[in-house]
Amino acid sequence: MILSRRRSASAAFAVVDEGSATWERAALLSPVAVPGSAVVRARGERLEKISRREVARPADRFRQVDMRRRQLVLSPQSIPAAEGIDVHVTAVVTVRVGDPVAFAAAAEDPDAEVYLAVQIALRDAVAAVPLDDVLQRRVDLDGVRRAASLAAAGVGLELVAVVLKDASAPRQVALAREEEQVVQITSRTAMERARAEVKATRARLAAAQMLERSPILAGVRLLEALPAGATLKVDAGTLPGLSGTVSGTGTSDDA
């Protein structure tokens, strides 16, 4: 036990360090609760919350309990998804003190109690979900919230929220997934190119069949295909309706 003295305008206190909790001994009056906190008094074996300043006994000890919301950030957890592939997930738990007396008396480290409960429940939640859903953070956290609420209630805390912050696959799995996506995109591109070629081939076949059924149209297409300055000689019978021999020089527009 380490004792140190500090004085204020109204009272003198002796600070007692016991583990992670800090208790004060007041010489005259109990301490004033700071905004967002509550004062818990230990008198003998009894703990109680006090709402106003009272005369302190020599053996009384006091503790300021922070009642504000705070966040517990889980370190990245390596958890196997439904396929057995490990995925790294990080969760954030938001809690606040609901019962300052229970918070001061129930456990040496109340936050650690909730941390452990969330850690265990999160493994069960992630293990039941496919890898793709985990990476997109589509994980049912109801079981995690129930476990966290139960653990929090046992140490004077109230659960506010549980959020899955991040989810990522190991580097080898991430590279394999990227390669798979590249293959899928390439396959789709090749399929679209093949469909376009099939459409073009069908169009050319339809045009050829039309030209075969209409010789006049074939002749017109031939004239249109002539380069500028070309000479065309048409024999009788080559094109229906023409007799004799026709020859000329000109552009395709002249023809």
Side-chain angles (χ1 to χ4, degrees):
M1 183 180 296
I2 302 173
L3 301 181
S4 64
R5 291 285 179 181
R6 65 183 182 184
R7 294 187 175 274
S8 65
S10 59
F13 301 98
V15 179
V16 182
D17 233 350
E18 296 182 353
S20 59
T22 300
W23 294 87
E24 297 177 340
R25 286 198 177 113
L28 299 175
L29 297 175
S30 61
V32 178
V34 299
S37 298
V39 175
V40 176
R41 179 178 62 195
R43 176 169 289 177
E45 296 182 356
R46 181 182 177 183
L47 289 179
E48 59 183 344
K49 175 187 174 183
I50 58 175
S51 57
R52 57 186 177 83
R53 301 196 74 180
E54 299 179 2
V55 176
R57 296 180 182 178
D60 286 350
R61 293 181 299 166
F62 302 92
R63 178 180 173 186
Q64 297 274 0
V65 177
D66 194 336
M67 304 289 289
R68 297 172 298 179
R69 292 191 306 272
R70 63 179 179 276
Q71 294 179 334
L72 311 178
V73 181
L74 272 71
S75 59
Q77 309 289 310
S78 181
I79 305 174
E83 298 89 343
I85 301 175
D86 286 348
V87 59
H88 301 297
V89 297
T90 302
V92 178
V93 184
T94 304
V95 296
R96 63 171 168 240
V97 175
D99 184 349
V101 174
F103 180 80
E108 179 183 0
D109 189 350
D111 291 348
E113 303 271 339
V114 179
Y115 187 103
L116 179 60
V118 172
Q119 194 176 35
I120 295 174
L122 186 62
R123 296 187 68 86
D124 294 337
V126 172
V129 179
L131 177 63
D132 287 341
D133 289 344
V134 176
L135 295 179
Q136 297 180 25
R137 294 183 295 180
R138 293 199 299 260
V139 180
D140 186 3
L141 297 178
D142 287 344
V144 179
R145 294 187 185 96
R146 287 193 296 270
S149 295
L150 184 61
V155 292
L157 290 170
E158 293 178 355
L159 179 70
V160 178
V162 178
V163 179
L164 192 63
K165 181 182 178 183
D166 296 309
S168 60
R171 180 170 178 79
Q172 293 179 344
V173 176
L175 291 176
R177 288 174 58 84
E178 290 178 2
E179 183 177 353
E180 180 183 2
Q181 292 176 355
V182 171
V183 170
Q184 292 177 354
I185 294 173
T186 304
S187 299
R188 286 197 297 268
T189 302
M191 184 66 69
E192 291 299 326
R193 186 181 298 111
R195 289 196 183 105
E197 292 178 355
V198 169
K199 290 181 181 179
T201 301
R202 288 176 178 173
R204 288 193 293 268
L205 178 60
Q209 292 174 346
M210 183 178 295
L211 293 176
E212 183 179 3
R213 291 193 297 268
S214 178
I216 295 179
L217 182 58
V220 172
R221 290 293 302 273
L222 176 62
L223 292 175
E224 292 177 346
L226 289 176
T231 300
L232 175 66
K233 180 178 181 181
V234 180
D235 295 330
T238 301
L239 295 176
L242 295 178
S243 59
T245 300
V246 179
S247 62
T249 302
T251 65
S252 58
D253 292 334
D254 294 337

